[in-house]
């Protein structure tokens, strides 16, 4: 899994149209919370290769993060067919991510 947040973000309309399971991972490359959470996020998502994972660099004036009202980093938004079904802010336990993934996938084994 790439641990770099992309400075290029897709438009909200494109994200809303994504079929299936998607995780939006908002943060920045310099954020200590974001860097510390990467192994946990990678572990959860590596087990779910069918889930689209977008690492989006966030900050003031970034429209995608503002449209989801992101306040803290990292914030992971779990989408099913473009609709938010779960959110995890500053994950610290694998269970938090597993539970959120279970809401957007049909084959997560708890």
């Amino acid at each position: 899994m790439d641990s770099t947040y992309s400075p290029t973000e897709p438009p909200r309309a494109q994200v809303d149209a994504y079929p299936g399971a998607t995780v939006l991972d908002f943060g920045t490359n310099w954020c200590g919370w974001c860097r510390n959470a990467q192994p946990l996020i990678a572990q959860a998502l590596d087990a779910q290769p069918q889930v689209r994972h977008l690492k989006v660099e966030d900050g003031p004036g970034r429209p995608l993060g503002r449209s989801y009202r992101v306040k803290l980093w990292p914030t992971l938004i779990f989408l099913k067919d473009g609709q938010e079904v779960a959110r995890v802010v500053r994950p610290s336990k694998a269970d938090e991510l597993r539970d959120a993934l279970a809401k957007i996938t049909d084959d997560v084994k708890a």
Side-chain angles (χ1 to χ4, degrees):
M1 181 182 95
D2 184 7
S3 63
T4 304
Y5 287 92
S6 173
T8 306
E9 61 184 40
R12 175 67 190 256
Q14 181 179 337
V15 173
D16 290 344
Y18 284 148
T22 302
V23 175
L24 298 176
D25 180 352
F26 291 97
T28 66
N29 295 320
W30 52 262
C31 166
W33 287 96
C34 301
R35 287 193 310 264
N36 289 338
Q38 288 314 300
L40 191 62
I41 295 168
Q43 178 184 10
L45 290 172
D46 285 349
Q48 298 295 328
Q50 78 282 14
V51 175
R52 180 184 296 106
H53 180 216
L54 301 175
K55 294 178 68 67
V56 180
E57 185 176 293
D58 192 40
R62 298 286 184 137
L64 191 59
R66 301 299 62 76
S67 74
Y68 283 101
R69 296 186 170 117
V70 171
K71 302 288 185 204
L72 296 171
W73 302 323
T75 293
L76 288 87
I77 311 284
F78 295 79
L79 307 172
K80 184 162 191 163
D81 296 325
Q83 300 298 309
E84 180 177 344
V85 296
R87 178 181 294 231
V88 176
V89 179
R90 292 188 174 169
S92 60
K93 299 177 194 149
D95 289 346
E96 296 174 295
L97 298 173
R98 248 192 321 269
D99 291 348
L101 281 166
K103 293 178 182 178
I104 63 170
T105 61
D106 297 325
D107 60 350
V108 173
K109 293 168 182 63

